[in-house]
Amino acid sequence: MIWGVLQFPGSCDERDALHACKVVGGEARLIWHEDRDLGGVGGVVVPGGFSYGDYLRPGAIARFSPAMEAVAELAAAGGPVLGICNGFQVLCEAGLLPGALLRNEELRFICKQADLIPLPRTSDVDGPKTQAGVEFSAHQHEGATLSIPIKHGEGRYYAPDDVLDELEAKGQVAYRYAAGHNPNGSVRDIAGVRNERGNVVGLMPHPEHAVDPLTGSTDGRKVFEALEGFAG
Amino acid sequence: MSDASTDVPRYRELGLTDSEYALIVEKLGREPNAVELAMFSLLWSEHCAYKHSRKLLRRLPTEGPRVVMGPGENAGAVDVGSGYAVAFKVESHNHPSAVEPFQGAATGVGGILRDVFAIGARPIAVLDSLRFGELDSVRSRHLLDGAVRGIGHYGNSIGVPTVGGEVYFEEPYEHNCLVNAMCIGFAKTEDMVRAAAAGVGNAVVLMGASTGRDGIGGASVLASAELGEGDDSKRPTVQIGDPFEESKVLECCLELLAKGLLVSLQDLGAAGLTSSAGEMASAGGVGIDIDVATVPLREADMEPFEIMVSESQERMLAVVEPSRVDEVRAICDKWQTGSAQIGVVTDSGHIRILKAGEVVGDMPVDALVDGCPLYDLSPAAPAAWVYGNRATLAADADSAATLLALLAAPSIASKKWIFQQYDSIVGSRTVRRPEAADAAVLQLPESGNAIAVSIDGNGRKVACEPFNGTVEAVLECAQNLACVGAEPLGLTNCLNFGNPEKPVPAWQLDRAISGLAAACEELGVPVVGGNVSLYNEGPDGPIYPTPVVGMVGELPDPARTAPSSFAKEGDAIGLLGPFAPTLHGSELAKQRGELEAGLPEPNVAAVAAACATVREAVRAGRVASAHDVSDGGLACALAECAIGAGLGCRADLQELRERGCTPEEALFGEGTGGFVLSGDRAELEALGARVIGEVGGTTIELAAGDRSLVVGLLDATEAWRSLDARAESVAEPPADA
């Protein structure tokens, strides 16, 4: 699958995401924020960083970019979209994912390795179509944890209780921090969520920084692979 | 020219002496006008002209086979093979940080990043060297908190990882903290660019942020004078940073350079347009005309002199062929950053300032940039220890209590609280994260190898004896690099000293530069750049003389680097190298209030040989871990290896007693040349290491005659981790800060 990685002014991790997409087996290219056309990519990564300097609110300006209109269309068509850190914030601001990211509980930027628990989707409507996706679902059911770094100042996931109840009921909580690993005070230890269909996933941890054994773990590959099944 | 209210001549308020002013009048053949005086006062300041240090700096060795760019460019650079180069430089932002720590530190990072991408290298890492007063001081915690937030704010936001650094907490930095930032860049050698203006008729284009009234007089008023009472009023001279703007300018400049659209490029730092235009003209042997009416401003009514000296951040100056200007400006537009043609390269040899065509300043480049007199110092060695002593450790503390007190010392304890606030991984190059090894290791997939970087400079030791203390700083870096298997390629430095017009700081500076030169010469490591920060004094006197050394080394295989912590139970522990510890200048001497002048002379050749042995052993995978013996001596080094691994250890330090050390010196004495290795016993012995113990258990047991000790691993860990809680107790800034 060909991944497209969005690039906004102020993006930081777009080259890392590009590299990660290539490592997990796909082709990948950068997509400039002003491009209304995604150029036929199968899936999109909205990368980490500080798009527009986090001015106003993280993600609040980037969501209005022409490329994000195209991403919304891809998401509506069931194509895979992965938002990482600032990209997660952008997807929440764009209304493609529920909830919001607030300042870390301790009001400091924090960078460290964290253990994540991947959670399964409850229904398999539009489910993973590839072998990797199927294996990932199986892996999710085993409850194995993933070691993936986090680095952010505004990563405290928040949504009202009734929304959270619904997310949990529908299997929309995609990743939780393992016990003792919640770095920011996220409600119900939520590290990442998915849309109802499951093709749009956002998470604060950085799977693109966990694809090379030399620089840490390789567990991040599974986060990318899990979405490949949604490619058309 | 005088100020009626005080009768002090304006030039003196701007920091020029009577004789310097007379020289300016002589060179111009007339009195300078207000614009010219403002510009001269900045370029003739200590900060820009290095007038008290330049003569001494000529002692430093600057050449070597791997040097791509040396001193005089925005940053130095060394060849790392396959057509690639690594650029690096360290710079201070001490006085701004002492006045306003968040913005001071943030713009310190912003400035050093610009220095590196100004030569066409993409910044790939930042390291910081910080000095504050003791951690029990409210002011120190306030400055620490602000500086760390500021560094994180800038580095994190711009996507350059902060991969390492060092921090010391010492009384003499109470009023004058040090914030030194080092940036590493990576470039294709053929894409790099110099700062010399060239091509008469070429356009001078200002890119990036607009120009405002911030930071006016920063270089002269703030950086070239002692701190003192009423520094609040200097806060407007501190610049305000915007990492988002810099991120756009960075990407824009790298794209412009990759497309070959720029003749030359220079960042705007201290003294703003004045120094960047002046230095570009000087380096190119040309003149430049600048029309201030064409400079994009934040406030419409700025005076010509304000425009010329503003230190507004995130600006770059480029020389562009006239036919390429439109293309350059289109790329600036793409990156949503500003651009304006503000001048032209001339053959006049003059910097001319115009305002809508009317000449408001006209100075020969050689007078403005290179005309400042260079001074000889009047050094005099002090009769004895000139700094204070404060005992914090009971004289009768036993060895176990002493080890715990040393591990808990803020200068030795884990700096996790600090480095967790920095993004250390963006860029996907970070093979060794902070505190995982003695040096940061960054992989370079493009050239197929890796670099290691270390920054160090123990001011307390330099205060004991400036020559030997500076040699120790260089050797510490070399040892750190050896522990990850790296061979030094080049060195940069930031010389933080007191007032050079006073005899003792002058002596410290003179001796330290000689020590730096001698150590670099003997190690064969060229000095490719540096920075000098003088007048670092508070009401209680000068700081510890603090030469901060940043060293870059190369290693062939990023997969072959050793961690600093022990690897597994049952491994043998070896001590290697010409380590002959003493208590001179040690953390223990400090805690006992027994600091005094004097430091033994290191044996550079012997340390270099030990470094080579360790380096080769690490590269060959013959050791499981490697850590150099540094602050707190062998006992602390062993404890750090154990804590990091979560494994205890047992060691007999009798070996050092055979070298003439007392039990206490064997445990806590400091000195150069010591390496703690772990691994297979036979391998360690084959390397020439003396096997002194074994990894395992839940205690740290060190046999040293009547000073033997046993400390639980959990107790040691708790002490070493104690900085987190103490640093977090940030209070409001002190009333006078």
Side-chain angles (χ1 to χ4, degrees), chain B residues 151-384:
Chain B
I151 290 166
H153 169 66
Y154 215 102
N156 298 344
S157 305
I158 202 169
V160 178
T162 300
V163 298
E166 42 121 39
V167 192
Y168 282 92
F169 300 87
E170 308 270 10
E171 189 84 40
Y173 304 110
E174 170 77 17
H175 289 274
N176 195 132
C177 64
L178 302 185
V179 173
N180 291 185
M182 176 175 178
C183 180
I184 318 292
F186 185 60
K188 266 190 191 159
T189 308
E190 63 181 19
D191 289 349
M192 294 172 74
V193 63
R194 293 183 186 269
V200 171
N202 278 347
V204 176
V205 177
L206 180 62
M207 302 184 292
S210 54
T211 298
R213 285 197 167 99
D214 50 329
I216 287 179
S220 55
V221 177
L222 200 49
S224 301
E226 291 174 24
L227 292 170
E229 296 300 319
D231 283 332
D232 293 5
S233 61
K234 294 179 183 166
R235 205 164 290 155
T237 62
V238 178
Q239 312 84 354
I240 307 295
D242 180 355
F244 176 52
E245 187 65 44
E246 181 128 319
S247 158
K248 294 185 295 180
V249 178
L250 187 166
E251 297 296 342
C252 178
C253 286
L254 292 181
E255 183 172 341
L256 290 169
L257 288 168
K259 291 186 169 158
L261 293 173
L262 306 183
V263 175
S264 59
L265 183 63
Q266 163 91 23
D267 74 305
L268 276 77
L273 267 177
T274 294
S275 98
S276 51
E279 285 169 14
M280 285 182 106
S282 169
V286 294
I288 288 180
D289 282 2
I290 287 179
D291 193 328
V292 294
T294 58
V295 174
L297 301 178
R298 291 177 198 170
E299 294 169 81
D301 60 342
M302 286 176 68
E303 296 291 330
F305 92 89
E306 291 178 311
I307 295 167
M308 287 309 298
V309 306
S310 161
E311 294 186 5
S312 289
Q313 299 289 288
E314 291 93 27
R315 298 180 300 161
M316 303 291 289
L317 198 62
V319 172
V320 182
E321 288 171 14
S323 62
R324 294 285 182 80
V325 170
D326 288 346
E327 213 176 330
V328 166
R329 296 200 59 197
I331 289 173
C332 292
D333 288 347
K334 172 192 161 187
W335 285 102
Q336 301 179 7
T337 192
S339 65
Q341 180 176 342
I342 64 162
V344 63
V345 177
T346 69
D347 60 2
S348 66
H350 281 232
I351 295 284
R352 290 202 313 162
I353 311 305
L354 301 95
K355 184 181 181 184
E358 177 200 344
V359 176
V360 294
D362 186 349
M363 298 144 282
V365 172
D366 56 3
L368 182 65
V369 180
D370 308 308
C372 179
L374 302 183
Y375 297 110
D376 290 310
L377 305 186
S378 305

Side-chain angles (χ1 to χ4, degrees), chain B residues 122-143:
Chain B
R122 175 176 287 280
I124 60 168
V126 166
L127 296 91
D128 306 287
S129 176
L130 308 176
R131 302 289 182 278
F132 303 100
E134 295 290 350
L135 196 58
D136 56 13
S137 138
V138 173
R139 180 197 304 272
S140 296
R141 292 199 302 276
H142 161 68
L143 292 174

